[in-house]
Coordinates of all heavy atoms in Angstrom, one line a residue:
M4 N -9.6 6.5 18.3 CA -8.5 7.1 17.6 C -7.3 6.5 18.3 O -7.2 6.3 19.5 CB -8.5 8.6 17.8 CG -7.2 9.2 17.3 SD -7.1 11.1 17.5 CE -7.8 11.5 15.9
H5 N -6.3 6.2 17.5 CA -5.0 5.7 18.0 C -3.9 6.6 18.0 O -3.8 7.5 17.2 CB -4.6 4.4 17.0 CG -3.4 3.9 17.3 ND1 -3.1 3.0 18.3 CD2 -2.0 4.2 16.8 CE1 -1.8 2.7 18.4 NE2 -1.2 3.4 17.5
R6 N -3.1 6.6 19.0 CA -2.0 7.6 19.1 C -0.8 6.7 19.5 O -0.9 5.8 20.2 CB -2.1 8.5 20.2 CG -3.4 9.5 19.9 CD -3.1 10.9 20.5 NE -4.4 11.7 20.5 CZ -4.5 12.5 19.5 NH1 -3.7 12.7 18.5 NH2 -5.6 13.2 19.5
D7 N 0.3 7.2 18.9 CA 1.6 6.5 19.2 C 2.5 7.5 19.9 O 2.3 8.7 19.6 CB 2.2 5.7 18.1 CG 2.4 6.7 16.8 OD1 3.0 7.8 17.0 OD2 1.9 6.4 15.8
F8 N 3.3 7.0 20.8 CA 4.2 7.9 21.6 C 5.6 7.3 21.4 O 6.1 6.6 22.4 CB 3.8 8.0 23.0 CG 2.5 8.7 23.1 CD1 1.3 7.9 23.2 CD2 2.3 10.0 23.0 CE1 0.1 8.5 23.4 CE2 1.1 10.6 23.1 CZ 0.0 9.8 23.3
P9 N 6.3 7.4 20.3 CA 7.7 6.8 20.2 C 8.6 7.5 21.2 O 8.6 8.7 21.3 CB 8.0 7.2 18.8 CG 7.2 8.3 18.4 CD 6.0 8.2 19.1
L10 N 9.4 6.7 22.0 CA 10.2 7.2 22.9 C 11.6 7.5 22.4 O 12.2 6.7 21.8 CB 10.3 6.1 24.1 CG 9.1 5.8 24.8 CD1 9.2 4.6 25.7 CD2 8.4 7.0 25.6
P11 N 12.1 8.6 22.8 CA 13.4 9.1 22.2 C 14.6 8.3 22.6 O 15.6 8.2 21.9 CB 13.5 10.5 22.9 CG 12.6 10.6 23.8 CD 11.5 9.8 23.6
M12 N 14.4 7.5 23.7 CA 15.5 6.6 24.1 C 15.6 5.3 23.3 O 16.6 4.5 23.4 CB 15.3 6.2 25.6 CG 14.1 5.4 25.8 SD 13.5 5.2 27.6 CE 12.5 6.7 27.7
H13 N 14.6 5.0 22.5 CA 14.6 3.9 21.6 C 14.9 4.4 20.2 O 14.1 5.0 19.5 CB 13.3 3.2 21.6 CG 13.0 2.7 22.9 ND1 13.5 1.5 23.5 CD2 12.0 3.0 23.8 CE1 13.1 1.2 24.6 NE2 12.1 2.1 24.9
A14 N 16.1 3.9 19.7 CA 16.6 4.4 18.4 C 15.7 4.2 17.2 O 15.7 5.1 16.3 CB 17.9 3.7 18.2
H15 N 14.9 3.2 17.2 CA 14.1 3.0 16.0 C 12.6 3.2 16.2 O 11.8 2.8 15.4 CB 14.4 1.7 15.4 CG 15.8 1.4 15.2 ND1 16.5 2.0 14.2 CD2 16.7 0.7 15.8 CE1 17.8 1.7 14.4 NE2 18.0 0.8 15.3
S16 N 12.2 3.8 17.3 CA 10.7 3.8 17.7 C 10.0 4.7 16.7 O 8.9 4.6 16.4 CB 10.6 4.3 19.1 OG 11.2 5.6 19.3
R17 N 10.6 5.9 16.3 CA 10.1 6.8 15.4 C 9.7 6.1 14.0 O 8.7 6.4 13.4 CB 10.8 8.0 15.2 CG 10.8 8.9 16.6 CD 11.4 10.3 16.2 NE 11.6 11.0 17.4 CZ 10.8 11.7 18.0 NH1 9.5 11.9 17.5 NH2 10.9 12.3 19.2
V18 N 10.7 5.4 13.6 CA 10.6 4.6 12.3 C 9.4 3.6 12.4 O 8.6 3.5 11.5 CB 11.9 3.9 11.9 CG1 11.7 3.1 10.7 CG2 12.9 5.0 11.7
A19 N 9.4 3.0 13.5 CA 8.3 2.0 13.7 C 6.9 2.6 13.8 O 6.0 2.1 13.2 CB 8.5 1.1 15.0
A20 N 6.8 3.8 14.4 CA 5.7 4.6 14.5 C 5.2 5.0 13.1 O 4.0 4.9 12.8 CB 5.8 5.7 15.4
S21 N 6.2 5.4 12.2 CA 5.8 5.9 10.9 C 5.2 4.7 10.1 O 4.3 4.8 9.4 CB 7.1 6.4 10.2 OG 7.5 7.5 10.9
Y22 N 5.9 3.5 10.2 CA 5.4 2.3 9.5 C 4.0 2.0 10.0 O 3.1 1.6 9.2 CB 6.4 1.2 9.6 CG 7.4 1.3 8.4 CD1 8.6 1.9 8.7 CD2 7.2 0.7 7.2 CE1 9.6 1.9 7.7 CE2 8.1 0.8 6.2 CZ 9.3 1.4 6.5 OH 10.3 1.5 5.5
S23 N 3.8 2.0 11.3 CA 2.5 1.7 11.8 C 1.4 2.6 11.3 O 0.3 2.1 11.0 CB 2.5 1.7 13.3 OG 1.3 1.3 13.9
R24 N 1.7 4.0 11.3 CA 0.7 4.9 10.9 C 0.4 4.7 9.4 O -0.7 4.7 8.9 CB 1.2 6.2 11.1 CG 1.1 6.8 12.6 CD 1.4 8.2 12.6 NE 2.7 8.7 12.1 CZ 3.8 8.7 12.8 NH1 3.8 8.3 14.2 NH2 4.9 9.1 12.3
A25 N 1.4 4.3 8.6 CA 1.2 4.2 7.2 C 0.5 2.9 6.9 O -0.4 2.9 6.0 CB 2.7 4.0 6.5
A26 N 0.6 1.9 7.7 CA -0.1 0.6 7.6 C -1.6 0.8 7.9 O -2.4 0.3 7.3 CB 0.5 -0.5 8.5
A27 N -1.9 1.7 8.9 CA -3.2 2.2 9.2 C -4.0 2.7 8.0 O -5.2 2.5 7.8 CB -3.2 3.0 10.4
H28 N -3.3 3.4 7.2 CA -3.8 4.2 6.0 C -4.3 3.1 5.0 O -5.2 3.4 4.2 CB -2.8 5.1 5.3 CG -2.6 6.3 6.1 ND1 -3.6 7.4 6.0 CD2 -1.7 6.7 6.8 CE1 -3.1 8.3 6.7 NE2 -1.9 8.0 7.3
I29 N -3.8 1.9 5.0 CA -4.2 0.9 4.0 C -4.9 -0.3 4.8 O -5.1 -1.3 4.2 CB -3.0 0.3 3.2 CG1 -2.0 -0.5 4.1 CG2 -2.4 1.4 2.6 CD1 -1.2 -1.4 3.3
G30 N -5.3 0.0 6.0 CA -6.2 -1.0 6.7 C -5.4 -2.2 7.2 O -6.0 -3.2 7.6
K31 N -4.1 -2.1 7.4 CA -3.2 -3.1 8.0 C -2.6 -2.8 9.3 O -1.5 -3.3 9.7 CB -2.2 -3.5 6.9 CG -2.7 -4.0 5.6 CD -3.4 -5.5 5.9 CE -3.9 -6.1 4.8 NZ -4.3 -7.5 4.9
C32 N -3.1 -1.9 10.1 CA -2.5 -1.5 11.4 C -2.3 -2.7 12.3 O -1.3 -2.9 12.9 CB -3.4 -0.4 12.0 SG -2.7 0.3 13.5
E33 N -3.3 -3.4 12.5 CA -3.3 -4.5 13.5 C -2.2 -5.5 13.3 O -1.4 -5.8 14.0 CB -4.7 -5.3 13.7 CG -4.7 -6.2 14.9 CD -6.1 -6.7 15.0 OE1 -7.2 -6.1 14.8 OE2 -6.2 -8.0 15.6
P34 N -2.2 -6.0 12.1 CA -1.1 -7.0 11.8 C 0.3 -6.4 12.0 O 1.4 -7.1 12.5 CB -1.3 -7.6 10.6 CG -2.3 -6.7 9.7 CD -3.0 -6.0 10.9
V35 N 0.5 -5.2 11.5 CA 1.8 -4.5 11.6 C 2.1 -4.2 13.0 O 3.3 -4.5 13.5 CB 1.8 -3.3 10.6 CG1 3.0 -2.4 11.0 CG2 1.8 -3.7 9.2
E36 N 1.2 -3.7 13.7 CA 1.5 -3.4 15.2 C 1.8 -4.6 16.0 O 2.7 -4.7 16.9 CB 0.4 -2.6 15.8 CG 0.4 -1.2 15.4 CD -0.6 -0.2 16.1 OE1 -1.5 -0.8 17.0 OE2 -0.5 0.8 16.0
Q37 N 1.0 -5.7 15.7 CA 1.4 -7.0 16.3 C 2.7 -7.5 16.1 O 3.4 -8.0 16.9 CB 0.3 -8.0 15.8 CG 0.2 -9.2 16.7 CD -1.1 -10.0 16.4 OE1 -1.3 -10.4 15.3 NE2 -1.8 -10.3 17.4
A38 N 3.2 -7.4 14.7 CA 4.4 -7.9 14.3 C 5.6 -7.0 15.0 O 6.6 -7.6 15.5 CB 4.6 -7.9 12.8
L39 N 5.3 -5.8 15.1 CA 6.3 -4.9 15.5 C 6.4 -5.2 17.1 O 7.5 -5.1 17.6 CB 5.9 -3.4 15.4 CG 6.1 -2.9 14.0 CD1 5.5 -1.4 13.8 CD2 7.6 -2.8 13.6
F40 N 5.3 -5.3 17.8 CA 5.3 -5.6 19.2 C 6.0 -6.9 19.5 O 6.8 -7.1 20.4 CB 3.9 -5.6 19.8 CG 3.8 -5.9 21.2 CD1 4.3 -4.9 22.2 CD2 3.4 -7.1 21.9 CE1 4.2 -5.2 23.6 CE2 3.4 -7.4 23.1 CZ 3.8 -6.4 24.0
Q41 N 5.6 -8.0 18.7 CA 6.1 -9.3 19.0 C 7.7 -9.5 18.7 O 8.3 -10.3 19.3 CB 5.3 -10.4 18.2 CG 3.9 -10.7 18.9 CD 3.1 -11.4 17.9 OE1 3.6 -11.8 16.8 NE2 1.9 -12.0 18.4
N42 N 8.1 -8.6 17.8 CA 9.5 -8.8 17.3 C 10.3 -7.5 17.9 O 11.4 -7.3 17.3 CB 9.6 -8.9 15.9 CG 9.0 -10.2 15.4 OD1 9.5 -11.2 15.6 ND2 7.8 -10.0 14.7
Q43 N 9.9 -6.9 18.9 CA 10.5 -5.6 19.2 C 11.9 -5.7 19.6 O 12.7 -4.9 19.2 CB 9.7 -5.0 20.5 CG 10.2 -3.7 20.9 CD 9.3 -3.1 22.1 OE1 8.2 -3.6 22.3 NE2 9.7 -2.0 22.6
E44 N 12.3 -6.7 20.3 CA 13.7 -6.8 20.7 C 14.6 -7.0 19.5 O 15.7 -6.5 19.4 CB 13.8 -8.0 21.7 CG 13.4 -7.8 23.0 CD 13.6 -8.9 23.9 OE1 14.3 -9.9 23.6 OE2 12.9 -8.9 25.0
K45 N 14.1 -7.7 18.6 CA 14.9 -8.0 17.3 C 15.1 -6.7 16.5 O 16.2 -6.4 16.1 CB 14.1 -9.1 16.4 CG 14.8 -9.5 15.3 CD 14.1 -10.5 14.7 CE 14.4 -10.8 13.2 NZ 13.6 -11.9 12.5
W46 N 14.0 -6.1 16.1 CA 14.2 -4.8 15.3 C 14.8 -3.6 16.0 O 15.5 -2.8 15.5 CB 12.9 -4.4 14.6 CG 11.8 -4.0 15.4 CD1 10.6 -4.8 15.6 CD2 11.5 -2.8 16.1 NE1 9.8 -4.2 16.4 CE2 10.3 -3.0 16.7 CE3 12.1 -1.6 16.2 CZ2 9.7 -1.8 17.5 CZ3 11.7 -0.5 17.0 CH2 10.3 -0.7 17.6
E47 N 14.6 -3.6 17.4 CA 15.3 -2.6 18.2 C 16.8 -2.9 18.1 O 17.6 -1.9 18.1 CB 14.8 -2.6 19.6 CG 15.3 -1.4 20.5 CD 14.9 -0.1 20.0 OE1 13.8 0.2 19.4 OE2 15.7 0.8 20.1
A48 N 17.3 -4.1 18.2 CA 18.7 -4.5 18.1 C 19.3 -4.3 16.7 O 20.4 -3.7 16.7 CB 19.0 -5.8 18.6
N49 N 18.6 -4.6 15.7 CA 19.2 -4.6 14.3 C 18.6 -3.4 13.4 O 19.2 -3.2 12.3 CB 19.0 -6.0 13.6 CG 17.6 -6.3 13.3 OD1 16.7 -5.5 13.2 ND2 17.4 -7.6 13.0
G50 N 17.7 -2.7 13.9 CA 17.1 -1.6 13.1 C 16.3 -2.0 12.0 O 15.9 -1.1 11.1
D51 N 15.9 -3.3 11.8 CA 15.2 -3.7 10.6 C 13.7 -3.6 10.8 O 13.0 -4.6 10.7 CB 15.7 -5.0 10.2 CG 15.0 -5.6 8.9 OD1 14.7 -4.7 8.0 OD2 15.0 -6.8 8.6
V52 N 13.2 -2.4 10.9 CA 11.8 -2.2 11.1 C 11.1 -2.6 9.8 O 10.0 -3.3 9.8 CB 11.4 -0.8 11.5 CG1 9.9 -0.4 11.5 CG2 12.0 -0.4 12.8
K53 N 11.7 -2.1 8.7 CA 11.1 -2.4 7.3 C 10.9 -4.0 7.1 O 9.9 -4.4 6.6 CB 12.0 -1.7 6.3 CG 11.5 -2.0 4.9 CD 12.6 -1.3 4.0 CE 12.3 -1.7 2.5 NZ 13.3 -1.2 1.7
G54 N 11.8 -4.8 7.5 CA 11.8 -6.1 7.3 C 10.7 -6.8 8.2 O 10.0 -7.6 7.7
T55 N 10.6 -6.3 9.4 CA 9.6 -6.7 10.4 C 8.2 -6.5 9.7 O 7.3 -7.3 9.7 CB 9.7 -6.2 11.7 OG1 10.9 -6.5 12.2 CG2 8.6 -6.7 12.7
V56 N 8.0 -5.3 9.2 CA 6.7 -4.8 8.6 C 6.5 -5.7 7.3 O 5.4 -6.2 7.1 CB 6.6 -3.4 8.3 CG1 5.4 -3.1 7.5 CG2 6.8 -2.6 9.6
A57 N 7.6 -5.9 6.6 CA 7.3 -6.6 5.3 C 7.0 -8.1 5.5 O 6.3 -8.7 4.7 CB 8.6 -6.6 4.5
S58 N 7.3 -8.6 6.7 CA 7.0 -10.1 7.0 C 5.5 -10.4 7.1 O 5.1 -11.5 6.9 CB 7.8 -10.5 8.1 OG 7.2 -9.9 9.4
V59 N 4.7 -9.2 7.2 CA 3.3 -9.5 7.5 C 2.4 -8.8 6.4 O 1.2 -8.9 6.4 CB 2.8 -8.9 8.9 CG1 3.4 -9.9 9.9 CG2 3.0 -7.6 9.1
L60 N 3.1 -8.2 5.4 CA 2.4 -7.5 4.3 C 2.6 -8.2 3.1 O 3.9 -8.8 2.8 CB 2.7 -6.1 4.3 CG 2.3 -5.2 5.3 CD1 2.9 -3.8 5.2 CD2 0.9 -5.2 5.7
S61 N 1.8 -8.1 2.0 CA 2.2 -8.6 0.7 C 3.1 -7.5 0.1 O 3.3 -6.5 0.5 CB 0.9 -8.7 -0.3 OG 0.4 -7.4 -0.4
P62 N 3.8 -7.9 -1.1 CA 4.7 -6.9 -1.6 C 4.0 -5.7 -2.2 O 4.5 -4.5 -2.0 CB 5.3 -7.7 -2.9 CG 5.3 -9.2 -2.5 CD 4.0 -9.2 -1.5
A63 N 2.8 -5.8 -2.6 CA 2.0 -4.7 -3.1 C 1.6 -3.8 -1.8 O 1.7 -2.6 -1.9 CB 0.7 -5.1 -3.8
E64 N 1.2 -4.4 -0.7 CA 0.9 -3.5 0.4 C 2.1 -2.9 1.0 O 2.1 -1.7 1.4 CB 0.3 -4.5 1.6 CG -1.1 -5.0 1.2 CD -1.5 -6.3 2.2 OE1 -0.6 -6.9 2.8 OE2 -2.7 -6.5 2.2
M65 N 3.2 -3.6 0.9 CA 4.5 -3.0 1.5 C 4.9 -1.7 0.6 O 5.4 -0.8 1.1 CB 5.6 -4.1 1.4 CG 6.9 -3.6 2.2 SD 6.6 -3.3 3.9 CE 8.1 -2.5 4.3
K66 N 4.8 -1.9 -0.7 CA 5.0 -0.8 -1.6 C 4.1 0.4 -1.2 O 4.6 1.5 -1.2 CB 4.8 -1.3 -3.1 CG 5.2 -0.2 -4.1 CD 5.1 -0.9 -5.4 CE 5.7 0.1 -6.5 NZ 5.7 -0.5 -7.9
K67 N 2.9 0.2 -1.0 CA 2.0 1.3 -0.6 C 2.5 1.9 0.7 O 2.5 3.2 0.9 CB 0.5 0.9 -0.5 CG -0.1 0.5 -1.8 CD -1.5 -0.2 -1.5 CE -2.1 -0.7 -2.8 NZ -3.4 -1.2 -2.5
V68 N 2.8 1.0 1.8 CA 3.3 1.6 3.0 C 4.5 2.4 2.9 O 4.7 3.4 3.4 CB 3.4 0.4 4.0 CG1 4.2 0.8 5.3 CG2 2.1 -0.1 4.4
Q69 N 5.4 1.9 2.1 CA 6.8 2.6 1.8 C 6.5 4.0 1.2 O 7.1 4.9 1.6 CB 7.7 1.8 1.1 CG 8.3 0.7 1.9 CD 9.3 0.0 1.0 OE1 9.0 -1.0 0.3 NE2 10.6 0.3 1.3
A70 N 5.5 4.1 0.3 CA 5.1 5.3 -0.3 C 4.7 6.3 0.7 O 4.9 7.5 0.7 CB 4.2 5.1 -1.5
I71 N 3.7 5.8 1.5 CA 3.2 6.6 2.5 C 4.3 7.1 3.6 O 4.3 8.3 3.9 CB 2.1 5.9 3.3 CG1 0.9 5.7 2.4 CG2 1.6 6.7 4.5 CD1 -0.1 4.7 2.9
V72 N 5.1 6.3 4.1 CA 6.2 6.6 4.9 C 7.2 7.6 4.2 O 7.5 8.6 4.8 CB 7.0 5.3 5.3 CG1 8.4 5.7 6.0 CG2 6.2 4.4 6.2
G73 N 7.4 7.5 3.0 CA 8.1 8.5 2.3 C 7.6 9.8 2.2 O 8.3 10.9 2.4
R74 N 6.3 9.9 2.0 CA 5.5 11.1 2.1 C 5.5 11.8 3.5 O 5.8 12.9 3.6 CB 4.1 10.9 1.6 CG 4.0 10.8 0.1 CD 2.6 11.0 -0.4 NE 1.7 10.1 0.3 CZ 1.2 8.9 -0.2 NH1 1.7 8.4 -1.4 NH2 0.3 8.1 0.4
Q75 N 5.4 11.0 4.6 CA 5.6 11.4 5.9 C 6.9 12.0 6.2 O 7.0 13.0 6.9 CB 5.2 10.3 6.9 CG 3.8 9.7 6.9 CD 3.6 8.6 7.7 OE1 4.5 8.0 8.3 NE2 2.3 8.2 7.9
D76 N 7.9 11.3 5.7 CA 9.2 11.8 5.9 C 9.5 13.2 5.3 O 10.2 14.0 5.7 CB 10.3 10.7 5.5 CG 10.3 9.4 6.4 OD1 9.8 9.5 7.6 OD2 10.8 8.4 5.9
A77 N 9.0 13.2 4.0 CA 9.1 14.5 3.3 C 8.6 15.6 4.0 O 9.0 16.7 4.0 CB 8.6 14.2 1.9
R78 N 7.3 15.4 4.6 CA 6.6 16.4 5.3 C 7.4 16.9 6.6 O 7.4 18.0 6.9 CB 5.1 16.0 5.6 CG 4.2 16.1 4.5 CD 2.8 16.0 4.9 NE 2.7 14.7 5.5 CZ 1.9 13.8 5.2 NH1 1.0 14.0 4.3 NH2 1.8 12.6 5.8
A79 N 8.0 15.9 7.2 CA 8.8 16.1 8.4 C 10.0 17.1 8.2 O 10.5 17.8 9.0 CB 9.2 14.9 9.0
I80 N 10.6 16.9 6.9 CA 11.8 17.6 6.5 C 11.3 19.1 6.3 O 12.1 20.1 6.6 CB 12.5 17.0 5.3 CG1 13.0 15.7 5.8 CG2 13.6 17.9 4.8 CD1 13.5 14.8 4.7
D81 N 10.2 19.3 5.6 CA 9.8 20.7 5.2 C 9.5 21.6 6.4 O 9.3 21.5 7.3 CB 8.4 20.5 4.4 CG 8.6 20.0 3.0 OD1 9.9 19.8 2.6 OD2 7.6 19.4 2.5

C-alpha cells in the first residue's frame, strides 16, 4: 500500500498528492510520481502540477485523472 504525506509548508503538495492518487486509479502511478519527483522544483515554483502530470499521460488518461481529482476535491468540500 502506498501512502502520501503532503507537507503543509509546500504550497502545491496536496494538489500533487491528489493527482498522484488519481493516476494510481488508472494504473499510471509510477510515471506520474516519477514526473512529479523529477520536476518538483519547477512545479513547486510555478504551481503547474497539472502540466507536469499531463506531460506523461495521454490526453484520454489525463481526462480520466482530472475527473478523479474533481471527485476527490468534491468529497473534501462536503
